[in-house]
């Protein structure tokens, strides 16, 4: 029975003679390919799922299993790679080589590797059901996530800090992304999603966003400086306007007070008669304490 890869080639290219280009590759090359298939990432996985955490179930490294299931050669090479991985990282995988060739022949390292990596952080080996934010097919504890991918920033921070628009950093989320894509040739930004208490969060690496913003704005430092100056100008204008409004309000209040006093004086003018308390001792005391004689003027109303 021909390998699946050969059948595929036959279906696509009828005229081409059936030929397997893959299995004759050097063992190191095939194992290198297997290593790339081990860690995969679906950035919008949390957007599709409603799982409220970073515990995104692994996709069972189906690409790796597919490769191993293709033919005997690839099965052997994929298992050789898995054995090498488990052995190389045995301090965390706790992998034990079988002592006899017979026992080793019964071993399926790929199965062991996939089982181990579905339950343990692939960086420190601790039990973990958590997915790495930027490589969500791998189990990864919180500490290792911080260590392996430091300087992660949220989408909101990325947009605000580098003056970008959502369609620029997440073109795949916009229906008009083809029209809005302003930077052809620029690779899409790496990102990951997770849900916390039902809220979807999108994370980027700060250095990736910074490099993208440099391309988008041309001169990032100059652009951010201009933006800051414009912000300060707007702030100053807002303050001046607020001060102006406050001053107008004070003037209006003063004018209203003067008007009220004038009205009161108009109403009381006829009834007002100046009397001076004829008590020298009392007056002298009050004057000594800073009061003037006018303070003892009282209104008198006629009956
Ligand atoms: Zn860890």
């Amino acid at each position: 029975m021909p390998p699946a890869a050969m059948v595929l080639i036959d279906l696509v290219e009828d005229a081409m003679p059936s030929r397997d280009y893959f299995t004759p590759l050097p063992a190191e090359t095939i194992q290198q390919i297997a290593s790339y298939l081990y860690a995969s990432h679906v950035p919008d996985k949390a957007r599709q799922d409603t799982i409220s955490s970073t515990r995104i179930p692994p996709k069972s490294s189906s690409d790796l299993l597919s490769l191993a299931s293709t033919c005997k050669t690839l099965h052997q090479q994929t298992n050789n790679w898995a054995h090498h991985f488990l052995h190389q990282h045995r301090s965390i995988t706790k992998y034990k080589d079988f002592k006899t060739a017979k026992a080793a022949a019964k071993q399926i390292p790929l199965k062991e590797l996939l089982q181990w990596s579905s339950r343990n952080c692939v960086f420190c080996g601790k039990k973990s059901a958590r997915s790495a934010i930027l490589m969500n097919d791998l189990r990864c504890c919180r500490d290792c996530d911080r260590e392996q991918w430091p300087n992660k920033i949220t989408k909101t921070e990325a947009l605000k800090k580098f003056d970008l628009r959502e369609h620029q950093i997440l073109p795949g989320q916009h229906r008009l992304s083809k029209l809005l894509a302003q930077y052809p040739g620029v690779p899409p930004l790496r990102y990951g999603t997770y849900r916390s208490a039902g809220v979807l969060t999108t994370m980027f690496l700060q250095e990736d966003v910074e490099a993208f913003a440099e391309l988008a704005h041309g001169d990032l430092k100059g652009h951010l400086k201009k933006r800051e100056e414009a912000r300060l100008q707007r702030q100053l204008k807002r303050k001046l306007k607020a001060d102006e409004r406050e001053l107008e309000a004070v003037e209006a209040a003063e004018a209203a007070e003067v008007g009220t006093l004038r009205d009161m004086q108009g109403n009381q003018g006829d009834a007002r008669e100046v009397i001076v308390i004829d008590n020298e001792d009392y007056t002298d005391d009050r004057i000594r304490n800073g009061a003037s004689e006018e303070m003892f003027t009282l209104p008198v109303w006629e009956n």
Side-chain angles (χ1 to χ4, degrees), residues 19-229:
R19 191 174 167 193
D20 176 11
Y21 293 96
F22 195 67
T23 46
L25 288 171
E28 295 79 15
T29 309
I30 294 175
Q31 290 183 27
Q32 184 77 6
I33 291 167
S35 73
Y36 279 108
L37 296 177
Y38 176 56
S40 63
H41 181 55
V42 182
D44 291 312
K45 184 99 171 104
R47 199 181 299 276
Q48 296 151 10
D49 297 338
T50 50
I51 302 159
S52 182
S53 73
T54 49
R55 296 180 178 206
I56 297 166
K59 63 181 179 63
S60 309
S61 296
S62 55
D63 296 337
L64 206 52
L65 284 172
S66 301
L67 180 70
S69 308
T70 306
C71 67
K72 200 175 174 184
T73 309
L74 293 178
H75 182 268
Q76 192 180 350
Q77 292 301 342
T78 312
N79 272 288
N80 286 348
W81 168 78
H83 168 78
H84 178 71
F85 184 99
L86 288 165
H87 182 78
Q88 193 181 16
H89 303 287
R90 60 187 178 282
S91 60
I92 58 167
T93 60
K94 313 295 178 202
Y95 183 68
K96 285 177 187 160
D97 289 323
F98 283 93
K99 286 175 183 169
T100 63
K102 200 177 171 186
K106 287 183 184 172
Q107 208 179 4
I108 308 171
L110 181 59
K111 192 178 160 192
E112 286 183 43
L113 174 62
L114 294 180
Q115 275 180 354
W116 175 81
S117 52
S118 68
R119 298 171 191 153
N120 299 275
C121 169
V122 291
F123 298 104
C124 69
K126 270 193 267 179
K127 288 271 177 212
S128 179
R130 184 184 179 278
S131 295
I133 295 173
L134 294 172
M135 191 58 74
N136 55 20
D137 202 32
L138 292 181
R139 307 290 88 171
C140 178
C141 70
R142 195 177 298 276
D143 291 342
C144 290
D145 203 327
R146 286 201 189 112
E147 195 183 319
Q148 297 294 324
W149 293 279
N151 302 324
K152 286 191 285 292
I153 54 172
T154 62
K155 181 182 74 179
T156 309
E157 285 174 310
L159 296 176
K160 198 173 171 186
K161 191 168 182 183
F162 298 104
D163 196 21
L164 292 165
R165 302 287 170 271
E166 191 169 326
H167 71 261
Q168 292 176 305
I169 60 171
L170 287 172
Q173 301 301 317
H174 290 265
R175 279 167 52 211
L176 298 175
S177 59
K178 282 185 184 168
L179 293 172
L180 294 169
Q182 296 169 17
Y183 314 105
V186 176
L189 280 171
R190 177 174 27 168
Y191 69 96
T193 49
Y194 70 91
R195 282 184 187 274
S196 179
V199 178
L200 183 79
T201 305
T202 307
M203 301 292 286
F204 296 84
L205 279 180
Q206 177 157 311
E207 56 263 36
D208 288 356
V209 183
E210 194 170 350
F212 181 87
E214 188 74 50
L215 288 167
H217 296 306
D219 170 19
L220 180 61
K221 270 189 184 169
H223 175 84
L224 294 180
K225 195 180 165 193
K226 270 187 201 167
R227 185 184 70 159
E228 182 60 14
E229 283 168 1

